[in-house]
Amino acid sequence: MVHSYLKKSAMLLSLAAAVAVAEEVQADQATNPQSTAGQETVSPALPQAEMPETPDPLLQAPAEAAQGQDNGGLAIEEKAPEATVLSNPIQEEPVKPPVEGQRVDMRILATTDLHTNLVNYDYYQDMQVETLGLAKTAVLMEEAIAENSNVVIVDSGDTIQGTPLGTYKAIVDPVKEGEEHPMFAAFKELNYDGAALGNHEFNYGLDYLRRVVASSKVPLLNANVLDAQTKEHLFTPYVIVPKTFKDSEGQLVTVQVGLTGIVPPQIMNWDRGHLEGKVIALDAVQAVTDLVPQMRKAGADVVVVMSHSGIGDDTYLVGEENIGYQLAGIPGVDAVATGHSHANFPSGTGTGFYSKIKGVDDTNGKINGIPVTMAGKYGDHLGIMDLKLHYTNGAWQVEESGAVLRKIDTKSSKADERVLNLAKEVHEATIRYVRQEVGQTPSPIHSYFSLVQDDPSVQIVNQAQLWYAKQVLAGTEEANLPLLSAAAPFKAGARNDPNSYTDIKAGPLAIKNVADLYVYDNVVALLKINGAQLKEWLEMAAGQFNQVDPTKKEPQNMINTSFRTYNFDVIDGVTYELDITQPNKYSIGAELVNPTASRVRNLRYQGKEVTDDQIFMVVTNNYRASGPFPGVKDAQESRLLNLQNRQALIDYIVSEKTIDARPNHNWSFADTIKDLDLRFLTSLKAQEHLASNPAISFVGISDTVEGFGEFRYQYSPLPEPEQPVQPEQPTKPEQPSQPTNPASPNQPVTSVQPLTPTKPNRSLDGQESQVLANQPSRASKVQESSLLAVQSSSSKGTLPNTGTKDSIWMSFGLALLALLPAGLGKRKQK
């Protein structure tokens, strides 16, 4: 009785609160107010774009129209849009107009590339960590605000994808209309003034992104993505935020801060399936150059660019990916918060990666005289830019500026309670999701040596892709063609991160382990190529290695650390050797640099030499299929399938129950490196696996990269390569049957859900070559299941205990759920 009464009371209170919120939202529609007292937002009036379907509130753009295109960029007519200004809240102290000679110390706090690392938790290892998370960065924010409260807080993008939490809110329990994404809810809680859209914001498609942007209480900005039909901005290009600061005398004064953001135009390659025909991406430098005068005309005293683009260098090509350097040279731009490259700037010592570029002050954090930051990744750093403003000749001028990076405290467990409490529900739901068991492995699976020898973490992905593709091709005319699979080591210490490795112990395999093996939300793709194209594909992948001197007896570094490990494709189904005493045929950017060079030797299929005209089917992912890889871009046929690569891996493990991921040694180095002293760096944790890898020995702790060790690779002939695991071909064409739960064979496993494609069998030929960058991805719509939409407690508190007791009770609960009728409580698919 009491319980019923309390429940009804709570419902009434919730209804009242909902009405109040609805009235507030209606009153503040299309304004995006900030929560900081004394602050108001000015944004361009955005007329509704003409769309072929139901109007979307996100598809709004300023009145300027595109006036033509040049080398991929559109010139936008300089026409200042009308502005909407919020009413100024009542101040405890009067805010006076600026006067001649007045001075203000302004501080910009910048984050970037958070990739849904909302709290300090590693979902792959299922444990709390102190090396990442917005909850840790927020501690630095509070310290910086205590030093100077005149702050503007911004983020440079790649926010909603990157961990199982991002996958959970996009695929398992997707953000619904009006629901605020937890990352942007945290931004609001921390009083962010604006955020840019990064390339990974587009991974889940435009419909999902529209929902996320529409519900965000923080302005999400982009200046260089336009609607393909109307040529108007697809998202809000800029806002002007009136900030109430204290001047040097303690008097309140308003400074109008203009914010805008950009994304690399390469999104048209990376998420082509989602974007082609729907949007166009301008050259980012041109877009900002055209927009800044409009922002100044609309009243911006200070202009800050949130650049989801790396710093690059002092050479500029229209349409290139990393242009932070050029943005810092645009007249009217006062500060640039960069990102995308997961790097750090400034170093503060003058010895950082960008320090040798002309115009870069790596000590004081300035490029072309403008303060610039790049705050690492996953919340591990906070960028701080300080601007000393002087009101002179009727305008605010930047008299002095500089920037620093601050690293989170990795030795302390201190984290921001506001973020932890806000994240509690989705965090707990994500943990329950990733702990769902799908199979067993009798041996460890790790990626510590994945760059120097055939590797279990890549082997298992290739096995799963072959298993799935066999079923897809059964009964088709391609079923009798040789089937190959391409996969790469996604976690192999990229960007000097000793924790960026797959490390799975022998025993149960859960979804968290599968996510650790396949960290991107890619979709399976099938290519038809010939033997000549296959060889060029492998020549490109061989760029992972430096050219070594066969006559040199001194130690030589064998790994090209500038080459992204996710581009080191290992192709199973054939055998081959790599001769790294030869030069690379292709550059990191897939450009032909040594036409006569060849590293690939003894390329064979079933023991016979591969001929140039031999036809193969190769299963890979949408990122590779739509990219500029030699051989791949010239494929005779290319189509997307109806499943994420990660889901194919889950289905394979569930089907096999116990999987054998031992490498089959289908690739190796040629004997030209025999007796050479070859070295490489990997995590110090790799020492635990030396006993089972006799070709590798430990040299010592690296004195250049923290957390890494130096290891020696000693060439020795490998045993005859084993043929890769390839399941028998089904006798008739059919869709892959839904795997069953090993614990209850008559019931489907709750974690396995087939994904349906947004555009099946889509041709990806004719893709223009672009420089490869951070691994993009693509997600598809998923059929929702009430068994996966785990209900979570909404009560606030600290991060949950994630020990074995929770797992036991969760397993018991899942076993009970598995007994429910398969169709019980299924949600209507949207």
Side-chain angles (χ1 to χ4, degrees):
M1 180 76 74
V2 173
H3 174 75
S4 175
Y5 171 75
L6 291 175
K7 185 176 180 181
K8 290 180 179 179
S9 299
M11 291 176 63
L12 289 173
L13 288 173
S14 298
L15 179 60
V19 172
V21 169
E23 291 175 349
E24 181 179 354
V25 170
Q26 185 176 14
D28 295 338
Q29 188 173 8
T31 58
N32 275 330
Q34 304 296 295
S35 62
T36 304
Q39 177 179 319
E40 54 188 27
T41 302
V42 183
S43 58
L46 304 178
Q48 180 67 48
E50 294 181 7
M51 297 298 294
E53 300 178 358
T54 304
D56 190 306
L58 292 176
L59 300 179
Q60 300 180 359
E64 69 271 13
Q67 297 296 317
Q69 187 168 359
D70 181 19
N71 294 326
L74 294 178
I76 302 175
E77 180 185 358
E78 291 187 13
K79 181 179 180 181
E82 298 178 0
T84 301
V85 184
L86 299 183
S87 59
N88 195 21
I90 299 173
Q91 301 287 337
E92 294 181 3
E93 301 177 48
V95 180
K96 299 179 180 179
V99 296
E100 191 72 15
Q102 198 167 14
R103 298 181 186 275
V104 167
D105 289 342
M106 169 182 166
R107 170 164 280 188
I108 302 168
L109 306 182
T111 56
T112 188
D113 293 275
L114 291 168
H115 286 284
T116 62
N117 284 282
L118 183 55
V119 299
N120 49 317
Y121 200 87
D122 185 335
Y123 294 104
Y124 306 115
Q125 298 300 318
D126 199 1
M127 60 185 289
Q128 182 171 316
V129 295
E130 307 305 337
T131 56
L132 52 77
L134 180 59
K136 298 279 289 187
T137 328
V139 174
L140 295 181
M141 290 181 184
E142 288 306 295
E143 293 172 355
I145 293 170
E147 297 165 359
N148 181 359
S149 60
N150 294 338
V151 297
V152 174
I153 307 178
V154 299
D155 182 85
S156 296
D158 272 8
T159 308
I160 65 173
Q161 178 275 344
T163 72
L165 186 148
T167 302
Y168 183 82
K169 288 309 299 176
I171 302 297
V172 181
D173 181 25
V175 170
K176 303 170 183 63
E177 294 288 347
E179 177 188 355
E180 194 168 15
H181 193 285
M183 290 300 298
F184 297 126
F187 280 11
K188 178 62 176 175
E189 183 70 20
L190 296 175
N191 299 320
Y192 274 71
D193 294 286
L197 297 178
N199 57 286
H200 282 286
E201 263 65 76
F202 294 86
N203 289 167
Y204 299 116
L206 287 176
D207 288 343
Y208 180 78
L209 182 54
R210 286 165 179 153
R211 293 201 303 272
V212 168
V213 173
S215 63
S216 174
K217 305 299 190 301
V218 173
L220 304 182
L221 309 174
N222 177 269
N224 69 317
V225 176
L226 307 184
D227 180 87
Q229 280 71 46
T230 67
K231 304 301 186 295
E232 294 179 338
H233 287 100
L234 197 66
F235 305 99
T236 303
Y238 72 89
V239 292
I240 299 175
V241 184
K243 300 290 294 188
T244 301
F245 294 150
K246 285 188 177 181
D247 70 3
S248 57
E249 304 298 324
Q251 301 298 313
L252 297 181
V253 66
T254 297
V255 177
Q256 307 278 353
V257 180
L259 304 176
T260 188
I262 60 92
V263 70
Q266 282 73 19
I267 60 170
M268 300 305 299
N269 264 355
W270 300 333
D271 275 304
R272 181 178 179 179
H274 289 311
L275 304 180
E276 187 176 43
K278 300 176 183 177
V279 305
I280 55 177
L282 310 180
D283 171 76
V285 175
Q286 184 175 342
V288 174
T289 300
D290 293 340
L291 198 62
V292 168
Q294 299 178 35
M295 296 172 69
R296 291 289 185 178
K297 188 174 181 181
D301 297 314
V302 176
V303 171
V304 180
V305 179
M306 300 171 291
S307 166
H308 192 77
S309 169
I311 289 174
D313 54 33
D314 55 352
T315 301
Y316 168 57
L317 298 174
V318 173
E320 70 176 302
E321 176 185 345
N322 296 310
I323 42 76
Y325 181 96
Q326 283 72 33
L327 293 176
I330 294 176
V333 171
D334 296 303
V336 180
T338 66
H340 185 56
S341 295
H342 292 204
N344 299 332
F345 182 84
S347 71
T349 63
T351 60
F353 179 81
Y354 304 101
S355 60
K356 296 181 181 179
I357 302 174
K358 181 182 177 182
V360 172
D361 181 351
D362 184 43
T363 302
N364 299 303
K366 301 173 77 170
I367 297 178
N368 298 321
I370 299 299
V372 175
T373 62
M374 184 182 291
K377 63 186 184 303
Y378 312 152
D380 60 1
H381 287 80
L382 176 68
I384 301 176
M385 293 178 277
D386 287 316
L387 286 68
K388 292 185 178 295
L389 305 181
H390 183 203
Y391 194 78
T392 179
N393 296 324
W396 288 106
Q397 305 290 336
V398 179
E399 195 172 57
E400 190 178 337
S401 64
V404 297
L405 277 192
R406 291 183 184 174
K407 186 177 180 180
I408 61 175
D409 187 350
T410 59
K411 306 299 182 184
S412 167
S413 61
K414 185 177 181 181
D416 191 286
E417 288 294 330
R418 294 171 297 174
V419 178
L420 298 183
N421 289 333
L422 180 148
K424 180 177 173 60
E425 182 176 345
V426 67
H427 171 69
E428 292 178 345
T430 302
I431 287 176
R432 287 194 289 273
Y433 165 63
V434 301
R435 284 180 178 172
Q436 295 178 69
E437 187 175 321
V438 291
Q440 297 275 333
T441 175
S443 57
I445 302 174
H446 63 84
S447 62
Y448 294 121
F449 306 133
S450 59
L451 301 185
V452 298
Q453 63 184 26
D454 204 9
D455 174 79
S457 72
V458 177
Q459 184 70 50
I460 187 175
V461 173
N462 273 328
Q463 288 173 195
Q465 291 180 170
L466 287 167
W467 173 85
Y468 174 61
K470 275 278 186 181
Q471 298 178 72
V472 171
L473 292 174
T476 69
E477 60 181 12
E478 294 99 350
N480 294 321
L481 291 175
L483 178 61
L484 314 179
S485 177
F490 291 147
K491 297 182 69 176
R495 300 180 175 94
N496 297 330
D497 185 352
N499 298 311
S500 182
Y501 289 91
T502 295
D503 191 346
I504 302 169
K505 308 301 181 186
L509 284 172
I511 289 177
K512 63 185 178 183
N513 305 127
V514 180
D516 197 23
L517 286 163
Y518 210 104
V519 299
Y520 301 108
D521 298 319
N522 292 336
V523 172
V524 181
L526 266 175
L527 304 176
K528 181 184 287 187
I529 62 174
N530 61 33
Q533 293 162 340
L534 173 63
K535 184 176 183 297
E536 296 310 298
W537 187 341
L538 290 169
E539 290 286 358
M540 176 64 202
Q544 182 67 76
F545 305 102
N546 294 324
Q547 183 180 6
V548 300
D549 185 346
T551 67
K552 187 176 180 180
K553 298 303 180 183
E554 293 79 16
Q556 300 182 69
N557 179 17
M558 63 190 302
I559 302 298
N560 178 2
T561 55
S562 297
F563 192 94
R564 297 299 190 214
T565 65
Y566 53 70
N567 288 326
F568 177 47
D569 283 353
V570 172
I571 300 185
D572 249 320
V574 288
T575 60
Y576 55 96
E577 297 175 346
L578 300 177
D579 184 356
I580 62 174
T581 66
Q582 300 301 307
N584 281 327
K585 188 170 186 177
Y586 295 98
S587 72
I588 293 174
E591 300 162 335
L592 182 64
V593 291
N594 293 299
T596 61
S598 177
R599 288 185 159 187
V600 179
R601 292 175 43 174
N602 295 321
L603 177 57
R604 298 177 181 275
Y605 175 73
Q606 294 186 347
K608 297 181 180 180
E609 184 177 354
V610 171
T611 61
D612 286 352
D613 59 354
Q614 191 171 359
I615 301 299
F616 296 90
M617 298 299 294
V618 186
V619 57
T620 179
N621 60 57
N622 64 297
Y623 170 64
R624 180 66 69 239
S626 62
F629 253 46
V632 178
K633 65 181 180 180
D634 300 319
Q636 291 95 315
E637 184 179 330
S638 177
R639 63 181 185 266
L640 300 181
L641 303 183
N642 67 339
L643 204 68
Q644 285 186 322
N645 297 75
R646 186 190 298 121
Q647 192 65 45
L649 183 53
I650 292 174
D651 291 357
Y652 170 69
I653 295 171
V654 170
S655 175
E656 298 296 304
K657 298 180 177 61
T658 298
I659 55 100
D660 183 0
R662 288 176 299 176
N664 60 14
H665 307 300
N666 71 298
W667 77 272
S668 61
F669 294 109
D671 60 7
T672 52
I673 63 170
K674 185 178 180 180
D675 299 327
L676 297 184
D677 186 355
L678 301 181
R679 308 288 181 89
F680 67 99
L681 297 182
T682 188
S683 172
L684 286 168
K685 297 177 183 177
Q687 295 176 83
E688 301 172 8
H689 301 278
L690 289 177
S692 56
N693 292 275
I696 299 169
S697 58
F698 178 63
V699 176
I701 298 175
S702 171
D703 56 3
T704 58
V705 187
E706 184 180 357
F708 282 78
E710 184 177 358
F711 291 76
R712 178 185 290 110
Y713 176 84
Q714 181 65 51
Y715 172 82
S716 61
L718 291 173
E720 281 297 317
E722 302 172 11
Q723 289 301 314
V725 178
Q726 296 205 21
E728 293 184 4
Q729 179 179 319
T731 57
K732 60 181 180 179
E734 60 181 359
Q735 290 298 317
S737 60
Q738 186 176 15
T740 58
N741 188 333
S744 181
N746 295 324
Q747 294 294 333
V749 66
T750 60
S751 63
V752 180
Q753 300 185 74
L755 303 178
T756 54
T758 51
K759 290 194 175 182
N761 302 328
R762 174 187 232 301
S763 172
L764 298 176
D765 294 341
Q767 189 66 28
E768 294 183 0
S769 293
Q770 301 287 355
V771 178
L772 299 178
N774 296 340
Q775 170 79 18
S777 60
R778 169 182 173 171
S780 300
K781 295 180 181 178
V782 64
Q783 293 178 341
E784 297 183 57
S785 165
S786 61
L787 297 179
L788 269 182
V790 184
Q791 297 300 315
S792 303
S793 170
S794 61
S795 60
K796 295 186 177 182
T798 58
L799 296 182
N801 183 331
T802 59
T804 55
K805 290 183 179 179
D806 285 350
S807 298
I808 292 170
W809 282 110
M810 184 203 68
S811 300
F812 177 73
L814 287 174
L816 290 177
L817 285 174
L819 298 176
L820 294 175
L824 182 60
K826 284 190 176 180
R827 299 178 182 178
K828 183 179 180 182
Q829 184 177 345
K830 293 187 176 182

